Amino acid sequence: AWIFILLLPGLSDGGKLLVVPMDGSHWLSMRQVVEKLTERGHEVVVLIPEVSWQMKTTQACTVKTYPVSYTLEELDNAFHEYVATHLKDLPFPLNVLALYNNSVHVFHTFFVQCKNLFNSKETLQYLNQSGFDAVLTDPIFMCGATLANYFSLPFVFFMRGFPCNLHYEAPQCPSPLSYTPRLFTFNSDRMTFFQRVENALVALLELVYCNSFYEDMIKFSSEVLQRDVSLLDLLNSASIWLLRFDFVFEYVRPVMPNMVFIGGINCAQRKPLCK
């Protein structure tokens, strides 16, 4: 519960937090929390790669960068291919296969980023000597969770969602296939019989394709932590799940006590609609 303690004024003399964000729009939401923590007197260090899209911070934060082996052009190309695949109007199962192949490519790009981090001895030495109290991380590529386990620090997830329904499977939340559509199916919670069959087939495929998404990362995490770890091992060790979407807009299901919905944070920098 470190993040809750840090956010409450008067209950803490100031903690030291390591932030391991995800690039792009993910960081734009997390930055609101980081800025609020620094305003309340906490020391925040944001760990970012030297090559990134939107990783800009306020002067109040300490920024620690680490070298990476890819260029901004390679990062842009991976993202453009990912977006273009989503805009294609392909029928099932061609849409699922296309999104899967492109997602594997994107995941590999960010896996290289994490590997570069752990290959930077200077960065690891700095983090080890900094005496952090906790880690705040976007878990989509699991690098922050691996880093927190490496330094034996408690960590908090700040996230929108996982592929393969992992943000409900890991905390053991019920997710009935008849009422909860799976990612990539584009169904609603009111499905025909054949859509439910499709939903069940995609759920079975998740066991295969999600392991493929994270195969390199899990193998690397096992090497770094010097023990066999699974994807669920890393996810289950999170102290709190801060879910940046609104429960009322999701399909009905029970959630665990350490899952907190903070959907309003996405509207922190709102502007009037154009007339």
Side-chain angles (χ1 to χ4, degrees), residues 82 99-109 209 212-213:
Y82 183 76
L99 290 172
Y100 165 76
N101 290 330
N102 197 262
S103 297
V104 169
H105 181 212
V106 173
F107 270 68
H108 178 73
T109 300
Y209 76 71
S212 298
F213 282 164

Side-chain angles (χ1 to χ4, degrees), residues 58-192:
T58 61
Q59 294 180 351
C61 300
T62 300
V63 177
K64 180 63 179 177
T65 60
Y66 58 92
V68 291
S69 58
Y70 55 83
T71 64
L72 183 59
E73 182 180 4
E74 291 172 332
L75 196 62
D76 287 340
N77 289 338
F79 177 73
H80 290 317
E81 291 176 9
Y82 183 76
V83 173
T85 304
H86 278 75
L87 297 178
K88 293 179 181 178
D89 188 16
L90 298 174
F92 178 84
L94 295 180
N95 59 341
V96 176
L97 294 174
L99 290 172
Y100 165 76
N101 290 330
N102 197 262
S103 297
V104 169
H105 181 212
V106 173
F107 270 68
H108 178 73
T109 300
F110 284 96
F111 162 69
V112 172
Q113 180 186 103
C114 189
K115 195 171 183 179
N116 292 153
L117 168 60
F118 279 93
N119 285 337
S120 175
K121 295 182 179 179
E122 184 270 334
T123 303
L124 293 180
Q125 183 179 6
Y126 167 82
L127 297 176
N128 187 43
Q129 296 174 351
S130 296
F132 293 105
D133 297 311
V135 176
L136 175 65
T137 182
D138 189 310
I140 190 66
F141 294 110
M142 300 309 300
C143 192
T146 301
L147 191 67
N149 277 276
Y150 181 76
F151 289 114
S152 300
L153 293 171
F155 62 100
V156 175
F157 282 156
F158 183 93
M159 59 183 296
R160 172 59 182 89
F162 263 122
C164 314
N165 211 46
L166 286 171
H167 51 297
Y168 290 115
E169 181 180 351
Q172 300 182 353
C173 299
S175 185
L177 293 176
S178 295
Y179 304 100
T180 308
R182 287 307 202 252
L183 187 67
F184 300 148
T185 63
F186 307 104
N187 293 327
S188 71
D189 58 339
R190 296 185 179 183
M191 293 177 274
T192 65

